[in-house]
Amino acid sequence: MPSTPEQPTAETVRRVLGARLPDGASVRPADEPPFTWWVGDKYVLRLAHDKAASTRRRRELRLRELVRPHVSVAVPTGVATGEWAPGLAYALDTRLPGASAQEREVTAAGEEDLAGLLAALRAVPVARAAQFGVPKVAPRSLERLRQQAGPAAQKLDDKGEFDAERLRQLTAQAVAQLGPQGEPVLVHHGLSGEHLIVTPDGHVAGALGWGDALIGDPAEDIACLAAAVGARAAVRSATLAGYGPRACLRGLWLGRCDAVVRLAEGLLGGAPAEPTALLRVRLERVWEPILLELVSEG
């Protein structure tokens, strides 16, 4: 088996960039472990930590160029790519200006931007994306996810974190009505708060994190948006993009069940993959009551 590379250092970054490093530019790690680095204030360097990440990194570069003509929001531009260690890719990208949706609120104008993004993803030729190696993934079973979320909800209820009764709104009959809608489309699959760039006036100006894109169920992007910007904004954006009530509700319930399961795992399953404070915020966002549910119940 290939050996795991040593964690990159500032010297590693300088060696990789060489003459491409802007004069006087600082390099500093953006995450921990340090496989993403800020290069000055205009670039970001991402170093793959294994072969699978290298494949995603190379695929992401090609996919962004396919997507770029279709979307009205900015996507990063690749400046350089290569290998920083044997078999391990790196990519130097432009850094999009602005703060993330975790730091700034998306306004009604930003919801229109998100609607445009969702509509654009649906317009990207999936056959071309498949040629780049974007995987086709079958829709998740909402019933299986509901069964997984049930015990998690009860555990959270026992700890005073969540009212398990709320999950019982998702009955077996409701699940049967919320199957996958329409043909598979290109799914960003990572429209989280940290991947949405928001301007001071609440516009969504850019989208990062295309490495986990897939061809599949568009409800997955609605689910991600519900956790990133709230259920109301996500459903309004999806509706503006042309998705009907069932697709919106399917995405909402995927996001709700995911949020319940992840918070339970974060609190009760040992060291959480993400801060529990963030998991709580996401849970609160996806459980916002929306008008569509009230109308459906009526």
Side-chain angles (χ1 to χ4, degrees):
M1 294 183 62
S3 60
T4 302
E6 294 183 4
Q7 289 191 1
T9 65
E11 288 306 313
T12 308
V13 173
R14 293 189 178 94
R15 172 182 58 79
V16 167
L17 294 180
R20 295 190 184 94
L21 184 66
D23 291 339
S26 63
V27 294
R28 61 193 188 283
D31 63 5
E32 181 62 41
F35 286 94
T36 300
W37 291 73
W38 301 127
V39 180
D41 58 0
K42 294 183 178 180
Y43 303 99
V44 57
L45 178 71
R46 293 184 173 86
L47 307 168
H49 61 279
D50 59 23
K51 297 297 179 65
S54 293
T55 298
R56 289 195 302 272
R57 187 73 61 226
R58 297 186 179 104
R59 183 175 67 217
E60 179 178 9
L61 294 172
R62 297 190 292 269
L63 178 62
R64 287 192 320 224
E65 295 311 307
L66 175 63
V67 167
R68 197 183 306 278
H70 296 273
V71 298
S72 57
V73 302
V75 298
T77 298
V79 176
T81 186
E83 290 190 353
W84 71 274
L88 300 180
Y90 76 81
L92 179 67
D93 292 336
T94 55
R95 185 175 175 182
L96 299 184
S100 75
Q102 292 184 166
E103 303 168 84
R104 286 180 179 156
E105 184 176 351
V106 172
T107 62
E111 291 174 19
E112 293 182 5
D113 298 327
L114 291 174
L117 176 58
L118 292 176
L121 288 168
R122 192 170 52 203
V124 173
V126 294
R128 290 286 308 283
Q131 290 175 352
F132 296 151
V134 177
K136 186 174 183 179
V137 177
R140 287 191 291 168
S141 167
L142 183 54
E143 174 58 24
R144 188 175 300 118
L145 187 56
R146 181 179 79 108
Q147 293 176 5
Q148 184 182 7
Q154 189 57 57
K155 291 176 182 177
L156 292 177
D157 197 330
D158 293 343
K159 292 182 68 67
E161 294 278 352
F162 180 73
D163 181 1
E165 189 65 29
R166 303 171 77 184
L167 188 63
R168 297 188 180 100
Q169 300 172 50
L170 183 62
T171 63
Q173 181 181 4
V175 167
Q177 296 174 346
L178 298 178
Q181 306 292 310
E183 295 297 317
V185 304
L186 180 65
V187 178
H188 182 285
H189 207 230
L191 293 176
S192 54
E194 61 266 31
H195 287 157
L196 297 173
I197 302 299
V198 182
T199 63
D201 60 357
H203 273 282
V204 176
L208 311 174
W210 294 84
D212 292 322
L214 55 84
I215 298 168
D217 184 0
E220 295 289 357
D221 275 344
I222 300 173
C224 285
L225 285 178
V229 299
R232 298 188 193 100
V235 168
R236 286 193 295 259
S237 298
T239 301
L240 285 172
Y243 287 107
R246 289 189 179 182
C248 291
L249 285 172
R250 174 176 170 79
L252 185 60
W253 280 107
L254 286 171
R256 286 176 171 176
C257 290
D258 282 339
V260 166
V261 170
R262 288 169 183 165
L263 179 58
E265 290 176 346
L267 290 175
L268 307 171
E274 297 178 284
T276 54
L278 178 58
L279 296 174
R280 288 189 176 103
V281 168
R282 289 176 179 167
L283 184 71
E284 182 179 353
R285 287 173 179 158
V286 298
W287 281 95
E288 288 178 350
I290 62 168
L291 181 61
L292 180 57
E293 287 181 299
L294 300 177
V295 172
S296 300
E297 291 172 1

